[in-house]
Amino acid sequence: MQQELDRERAHHDTCRAALARMVEGAAEHVVTGEDVSASGADAEVLGYRLRSRAKEMRELPQGPLFFGKLDFESGEHAGQSYRIGRLRISEEPTAPPLVVDWRAPVSRAFYQAGPDEPQGVAVRRRFGWAPGSRGDSADLTGWEDERLTTGESGPGTLLAQEIERPRVGPMRDIAATIQPDQDDLVRADLTASVCVQGAPGTGKTAVGLHRAAYLLYTHPQRIRRSGLLILGPNRTFLSYISEVLPALGETGVRQTTLPDEIARHPATGTDSARAAALKHDPRMAEVLRRALYAQVSAEAVHPLSLSDGTYTWRVSAAALTEIVAAVRREEPPYAVGRERVRGRAMRAVQLQAERRAGPQPAAWTRRLERSRAMSACLDTVWPKVRPEEVLAALLTDAEVLARAAEGLLDPSEQQALRWPRPPRSHKSARWSPADLVLLDEIAGLVEHPEGYGHIVVDEAQDLSPMECRAIARRAVFGSLTVLGDLAQATTPWSARSWDTVLRHLGKPDAAVVPLTTGFRVPAAVVDLTNRLLEHLDTDVPPARSYRADGELTLRPTRDVPAATVREALTREGSVGVVAADAQVADVRAALTAAGIDPAEADRLGARVALVPASLVKGLEYDHVVAVEPAAVAEGEERGLHRLYVVLTRAVSRLDVVHARPLPF
């Protein structure tokens, strides 16, 4: 066994040296590439690509270069052995790889092969590395072999240890532990939109990120042209997942929140609960469309008169009215409609000129269609607008809102929408987060936004219909990976079914795939949260845990959980103290008085973090101390859903500290 371990360590040293040469070679290509371009433009494009590649190679995180190995005995790869890692490593571009990228087609057998269907694999080997290894060969501690053709297959201790390893710091990749059902989702075709209904700890976020990495590897040119976007629920969550894609060799991917993606202004205003719910209501889409197109004149009052210096050409008011009506019936984007009116009015003038004096030169046409008289006419029948002007008028003027909302919103709803203290103009308005969603809707009606080839949407169960529409506008010609858990839906506008969410996202035919086996949350915690799941108004199957370990302790006490936190600190791993938002200040004061200085939620890697219940979604800690579940559950429509989120953040141990009866 020691001889085999030495051989694998030696191979890792060879891989490390080859990777160093690959990094050096990428830097050299930046210099030599300047002399092989056919033109300045070619040189600029080539230089950008080479510099980007060199930068990516330099920024690769340190760590073990392979985590698995496949020995094939039959099929296309009979007699070959391949080590599987996070990126391809070779001594020469044309030489057989020392390490095969986990996304390569041949690597799929590492995740999918089994005794029933070995796929030509005789032996699948998993390597064990010391926790936190930066890639020193001495950190290779052992391996486990599964002999698939003889039926010797099972998860093994190394796989279990990797899954159960303490969670400290940012989220890590799961390339070494992807399960077959996860792999199917990761490798779904670029054109396919999929929705993953994932119970807590099933790895749905990791699946989405690995799917992004897979698409970047498999379709680099298409993704480079069309773009790939990762949307998370908040910036704390984005910090938590920020290192996953770089660890997989992918840098420069846009990862943001939907508010940051659509923001035209800072969100400095606030809404009442009712106003916010109404602004996220799908009926607002039609209200906004009506308000925008109310700017267009139903009937032209004056004819169009254009002078070329020698003759004045006219388009009658009736003809102009018909042009506008015809364009309205075509329902183009508002800005496109204005240009169509311009073009058709100009065509009417051209026809007159051709009958009188024959075809006119292009310069004559351009001069007239961009003339002040033409612009003034357009400003009357189809004026330019800013989304801010439209929305400010709608939320300020009762008559404007009444006309746009007729038959859609009742008078009390209209009253709730209007600003109690209107600004002097749209320029001084303080826009709320919900207003920014409405502004994006109007902007999308004026002109279609630039889209993406693929968008990964995490925690999608909390999206409102109007937020879904904002994403749909950016994925008209692309696909979506939608991730979420209806049981963790905590916003007032959360949907009860994925059918509703997918319809608003513009992908009603997307397949909904459930993941029910948890790899993060221990069985003891899952049993508890399944009891809570029965009280939630949602059709979600109970979860089951891959892990038989874990500890659950219910502590009925009025004491602030300082003693519980001290006890947790005697164990390995991170500690998350989670409390209702209103109780966070009191809990912090009590912990500080006891000599414990908890970090904020966004300080990743802290030993102890104090997290408001509203921000804990998507995060995970080895030991969670849940403070007063009844306080978390009360005070909001979906309080039990919020509590479900809190109780499912524990990776190893959960302490529930409560003086009041548990709400389930």
Side-chain angles (χ1 to χ4, degrees):
M1 180 170 177
Q2 186 60 45
Q3 275 188 322
E4 183 68 12
L5 185 61
D6 290 341
R7 276 196 295 269
E8 295 292 0
R9 286 173 173 171
H11 185 81
H12 192 270
D13 287 334
T14 302
C15 295
R16 178 65 64 193
L19 179 61
R21 288 193 293 272
M22 289 170 63
V23 174
E24 293 172 3
E28 291 173 0
H29 288 161
V30 175
V31 179
T32 59
E34 296 176 354
D35 300 325
V36 299
S37 300
S39 67
D42 287 342
E44 184 175 350
V45 172
L46 179 61
Y48 173 78
R49 291 181 179 176
L50 292 174
R51 285 192 299 273
S52 297
R53 177 59 177 164
K55 182 174 182 291
E56 290 171 3
M57 294 295 292
R58 288 195 306 272
E59 293 178 352
L60 286 172
Q62 292 183 323
L65 299 182
F66 54 78
F67 51 78
K69 181 182 178 184
L70 293 174
D71 292 333
F72 286 87
E73 70 172 6
S74 62
E76 179 184 355
H77 302 282
Q80 299 294 320
S81 292
Y82 302 103
R83 287 168 182 82
I84 312 300
R86 289 169 178 81
L87 75 161
R88 185 183 191 275
I89 299 175
S90 61
E91 294 178 301
E92 297 291 341
T94 58
L98 298 170
V99 178
V100 176
D101 195 297
W102 67 276
R103 297 165 288 187
V106 69
S107 300
R108 186 165 196 183
F110 184 77
Y111 304 107
Q112 295 284 352
D116 295 336
E117 191 176 348
Q119 301 184 18
V121 177
V123 179
R124 172 169 54 206
R125 173 171 292 182
R126 298 183 189 274
F127 294 100
W129 292 87
S133 172
R134 297 175 64 83
D136 292 333
S137 297
D139 293 338
L140 179 56
T141 57
W143 72 87
E144 286 180 347
D145 285 346
E146 298 173 75
R147 303 185 184 281
L148 303 185
T149 52
T150 61
E152 297 178 21
S153 177
T157 58
L158 288 181
L159 179 61
Q161 288 172 1
E162 176 64 21
I163 290 174
E164 297 169 12
R165 186 151 51 94
R167 264 62 169 175
V168 178
M171 182 181 181
R172 59 179 184 263
D173 70 84
I174 62 166
T177 61
I178 293 173
Q179 299 300 294
D181 53 349
Q182 295 173 328
D183 186 65
D184 289 335
L185 292 166
V186 166
R187 296 175 191 264
D189 189 77
L190 173 61
T191 60
S193 291
V194 295
C195 174
V196 182
Q197 160 57 47
T202 54
K204 56 185 176 295
T205 297
V207 164
L209 294 171
H210 287 67
R211 173 156 166 71
Y214 173 78
L215 294 177
L216 288 163
Y217 172 88
T218 310
H219 308 282
Q221 299 301 326
R222 291 174 64 179
I223 294 297
R224 185 178 293 115
R225 287 195 304 269
S226 58
L228 190 147
L229 175 67
I230 309 289
L231 289 177
N234 53 58
R235 293 177 183 176
T236 300
F237 177 83
L238 291 174
S239 297
Y240 178 61
I241 68 171
S242 62
E243 295 187 11
V244 174
L245 286 175
L248 298 172
E250 300 297 346
T251 59
V253 178
R254 180 164 171 74
Q255 301 185 48
T256 187
T257 65
L258 181 61
D260 287 343
E261 175 69 15
I262 69 174
R264 297 169 61 90
H265 305 277
T268 57
T270 57
D271 287 311
S272 68
R274 191 181 186 200
L278 284 169
K279 289 177 181 180
H280 284 285
D281 192 293
R283 292 175 294 171
M284 286 302 298
E286 177 59 19
V287 172
L288 296 174
R289 191 194 68 79
R290 291 179 184 179
L292 174 62
Y293 282 93
Q295 317 298 314
V296 177
S297 297
E299 184 175 346
V301 177
H302 303 290
L304 168 64
S305 298
L306 298 179
S307 174
D308 62 4
T310 59
Y311 192 82
T312 299
W313 311 95
R314 288 181 174 82
V315 179
S316 68
L320 199 55
T321 298
E322 178 53 36
I323 288 173
V324 171
V327 173
R328 280 290 304 271
R329 288 192 294 270
E330 295 166 7
E331 299 184 349
Y334 186 92
V336 174
R338 176 182 165 93
E339 294 308 308
R340 285 186 186 176
V341 172
R342 183 198 302 273
R344 292 179 191 182
M346 190 63 223
R347 181 58 183 158
V349 170
Q350 283 179 300
L351 291 175
Q352 295 178 41
E354 288 175 1
R355 286 194 294 268
R356 179 181 176 86
Q360 300 298 309
W364 178 87
T365 301
R366 287 195 299 271
R367 180 161 53 88
L368 289 188
E369 71 179 359
R370 296 298 169 184
S371 65
R372 290 184 179 179
M374 175 67 85
S375 296
C377 176
L378 287 174
D379 289 342
T380 301
V381 299
W382 200 296
K384 283 184 177 180
V385 295
R386 290 178 56 85
E388 291 81 358
E389 295 171 332
V390 176
L391 185 57
L394 191 71
L395 300 181
T396 301
D397 192 317
E399 292 185 4
V400 171
L401 179 56
R403 286 194 298 270
E406 183 179 359
L408 294 171
L409 304 176
D410 63 38
S412 69
E413 291 174 320
Q414 295 176 34
Q415 176 64 35
L417 275 176
R418 291 200 301 273
W419 281 331
R421 298 178 62 184
R424 290 186 178 180
S425 75
H426 72 274
K427 295 181 180 179
S428 59
R430 298 183 62 190
W431 306 104
S432 70
D435 290 334
L436 298 184
V437 179
L438 301 185
L439 287 173
D440 190 75
E441 179 77 23
I442 300 172
L445 291 169
V446 173
E447 190 171 7
H448 291 316
E450 185 176 350
Y452 293 88
H454 192 79
I455 303 177
V456 178
V457 188
D458 208 348
E459 303 295 351
Q461 74 280 348
D462 285 332
L463 294 172
S464 72
M466 295 300 288
E467 289 173 322
C468 287
R469 289 175 61 86
I471 295 170
R473 283 190 290 276
R474 290 159 173 80
V476 173
F477 302 108
S479 55
L480 297 175
T481 297
V482 181
L483 312 168
D485 179 9
L486 294 176
Q488 298 184 57
T490 54
T491 58
W493 40 78
S494 299
R496 264 65 176 178
S497 75
W498 285 118
D499 289 344
T500 302
V501 175
L502 293 172
R503 177 165 48 82
H504 289 304
L505 285 170
K507 308 294 182 185
D509 298 327
V512 179
V513 181
L515 292 178
T516 58
T517 301
F519 300 94
R520 173 175 57 80
V521 184
V525 177
V526 169
D527 291 342
L528 176 72
T529 55
N530 278 342
R531 286 164 49 194
L532 175 56
L533 185 63
E534 297 173 2
H535 297 267
L536 304 184
D537 179 23
T538 186
D539 184 19
V540 172
R544 52 196 177 90
S545 179
Y546 171 86
R547 301 169 53 186
D549 65 332
E551 299 176 18
L552 168 66
T553 306
L554 303 181
R555 299 179 183 267
T557 177
R558 293 186 178 276
D559 294 335
V560 174
T564 304
V565 175
R566 281 202 195 93
E567 182 182 331
L569 288 171
T570 64
R571 311 282 193 92
E572 186 180 12
S574 56
V575 180
V577 183
V578 187
D581 291 33
Q583 292 189 326
V584 167
D586 291 340
V587 173
R588 180 178 295 281
L591 291 176
T592 302
I596 300 171
D597 184 20
E600 301 288 346
D602 57 358
R603 209 180 103 200
L604 302 177
R607 189 75 164 89
V608 181
L610 176 58
V611 189
S614 62
L615 288 182
V616 77
K617 187 175 295 182
L619 305 181
E620 56 185 29
Y621 301 92
D622 287 284
H623 193 138
V624 167
V625 180
V627 182
E628 202 57 78
V632 174
E634 67 187 7
E636 56 180 300
E637 179 184 349
R638 290 183 167 244
L640 287 177
H641 291 258
R642 179 85 67 195
L643 178 58
Y644 183 83
V645 173
V646 170
L647 298 180
T648 54
R649 300 304 95 200
V651 172
S652 297
R653 299 174 298 280
L654 171 64
D655 276 304
V656 180
V657 179
H658 65 104
R660 299 163 56 183
L662 296 176
F664 57 91

